[in-house]
Amino acid sequence: MKNMHEDLSGFDSPKPSPEGRACAKAILLGEHAVVFGAPALIAALPDCIISHDCGPSDLLDVYIESWNLRIKADSLGNENSRALAAIDKSLEGLGISENFRRRRVLVKSRIPSQAGLGSSAGLAISAGRLIAGLAGRDDLAAPEKSVLFAEESEKIFHGKASGADAAAAAAGGIVVFKKGGILEQINDFPKLQLLVAYSGSRPPTRKLVERISRQRETDQKSRRLLDSLENLSLEGISALKAGDINLLGKTMNNAHRFLSDLDLSTEKIENLVKRCRNAGALGAKLTGAGGGGCIAAVFMEKDPANLLSEIRDISSWADIFTIQPARP
Ligand code: PMV
């Protein structure tokens, strides 16, 4: 929903503080296999979504500048409005009174929406942290509490959401996620550069998950591919823990091949992955549900900065993120 002609006065003078921050996410290994119980390795893209307070309002009223999107909380409104009302409800459930929840909030996002990078969870967590901070509830800033801000709103966008997006958005660093929650936060690995590029729109995650589930039931090759993706995820997790980023990269390259064999890649994705590998990426693959969406490429010694303009020419959006342990 675009709001090109809406009156946005009141969103133009955010106070420098307080603010609420959240990460986006890119799955390094384990997408789709995670649905069947495999662990997924997920990188949090740091400080991608930052919410700023712009003062009191008659309801929770949010403007996400780079998406040109204005959302007012309304439990009977469209999907976005219902999601914002759900964030408001979660905050209420955590004991935050109405005067702190009725705010005008300006959101700065470094990532596009609907690209599989966890923007909706990031929005919920950054806005939730801002409002909790205004209410003096610093106890809710911790990752294990902040995920609660996104609990209800993620159901609206993703149905029965796995919770991976919210977990990564709140935690930072790199996490191992298994259905149900974070299995482990990896706190000892060398600093990485992650280039993430958006190839363009994609089918809803739910549709792709359903297709892969059907394939798994009816086609032995697909089942084997999903098993191999699980093994690669385990191998990549061990590699990262051992600080072996070359091996992590190799597992990502192999995972990409298997995801392609599951018919989840596209010509654009293949092109982006190839360019990143040619430019020295240790590993490059589609990230998330596939069928479009994003790629992620890991770099260490080679600086991907020079590649960025070339990648931007052939993608809808691209950026480079420094990934390091959240709690070294
Ligand atoms: O919506 P995405 O692109 O972040 O994909 C989610 C990853 C899947 O494994 C395909 C689905 C899931 O719920 O884990």
Side-chain angles (χ1 to χ4, degrees):
M1 185 182 67
K2 299 275 179 198
N3 303 280
M4 306 293 279
H5 306 294
E6 200 147 356
D7 175 16
L8 296 171
S9 56
F11 284 101
D12 49 8
S13 56
K15 301 192 187 90
S17 65
E19 57 181 33
R21 288 172 178 256
C23 305
K25 69 97 175 51
I27 300 178
L28 299 180
L29 288 163
E31 51 273 270
H32 288 288
V34 73
V35 174
F36 309 102
L41 189 65
I42 307 181
L45 310 178
D47 294 337
C48 276
I49 304 192
I50 305 180
S51 288
H52 302 266
D53 180 39
C54 291
S57 173
D58 53 346
L59 39 67
L60 183 55
D61 184 359
V62 168
Y63 176 52
I64 307 111
E65 210 171 32
S66 58
W67 306 344
N68 195 22
L69 179 64
R70 168 91 172 268
I71 313 172
K72 296 181 186 183
D74 178 1
S75 57
L76 301 173
N78 66 20
E79 197 176 56
N80 287 328
S81 300
R82 282 186 279 122
L84 196 58
I87 297 170
D88 186 48
K89 194 170 146 218
S90 296
L91 287 162
E92 185 183 12
L94 291 162
I96 295 178
S97 65
E98 207 167 54
N99 54 323
F100 294 110
R101 301 191 330 260
R102 292 184 170 188
R103 305 298 292 187
R104 194 172 286 134
V105 176
L106 175 69
V107 181
K108 307 226 174 187
S109 171
R110 203 178 147 185
I111 53 153
S113 63
Q114 295 175 328
L117 299 176
S119 58
S120 57
L123 172 62
I125 287 170
S126 75
R129 279 181 168 156
L130 169 73
I131 289 167
L134 294 173
R137 292 289 306 277
D138 296 341
D139 58 305
L140 296 174
E144 52 284 8
K145 295 283 183 198
S146 293
V147 290
L148 300 173
F149 303 139
E151 208 173 29
E152 294 302 318
S153 57
E154 284 297 274
K155 284 183 201 157
I156 291 177
F157 285 119
H158 302 295
K160 243 175 97 206
S162 68
D165 288 10
I174 298 185
V175 298
V176 180
F177 182 86
K178 217 169 163 168
K179 243 180 168 176
I182 289 185
L183 211 60
E184 191 178 353
Q185 171 114 38
I186 302 184
N187 280 324
D188 186 17
F189 62 88
K191 189 159 86 174
L192 310 173
Q193 299 293 325
L194 195 68
L195 187 150
V196 183
Y198 182 37
S199 72
S201 65
R202 59 189 197 135
T205 298
R206 199 178 311 137
K207 284 243 156 79
L208 292 160
V209 168
E210 279 166 11
R211 169 162 77 74
I212 296 300
S213 292
R214 272 197 308 275
Q215 277 176 231
R216 184 174 175 269
E217 290 303 313
T218 55
D219 171 36
Q220 274 206 2
K221 187 183 166 212
S222 297
R223 188 170 319 164
R224 274 202 301 273
L225 287 167
L226 286 160
D227 288 346
S228 304
L229 285 167
E230 174 165 9
N231 290 335
L232 283 172
S233 195
L234 291 164
E235 201 181 323
I237 291 165
S238 301
L240 180 67
K241 285 185 185 170
D244 189 345
I245 308 304
N246 277 306
L247 181 56
L248 171 68
K250 280 192 190 124
T251 61
M252 289 174 65
N253 287 338
N254 288 333
H256 179 73
R257 193 154 47 83
F258 296 148
L259 290 164
S260 302
D261 289 348
L262 283 166
D263 205 15
L264 290 165
S265 189
T266 63
E267 223 178 287
K268 260 191 159 178
I269 286 180
E270 290 306 313
N271 191 15
L272 287 165
V273 162
K274 199 165 87 195
R275 301 264 188 131
C276 289
R277 287 183 191 157
N278 289 344
L282 299 177
K285 63 182 274 292
L286 73 83
T287 178
C294 289
I295 64 116
V298 170
F299 291 81
M300 260 188 78
E301 289 85 18
K302 287 260 183 185
D303 183 357
N306 295 334
L307 177 66
L308 194 58
S309 62
E310 185 191 323
I311 291 289
R312 280 181 172 154
D313 282 346
I314 56 164
S315 63
S316 313
W317 165 91
D319 212 340
I320 297 167
F321 300 88
T322 300
I323 312 293
Q324 51 197 346
R327 296 174 217 153

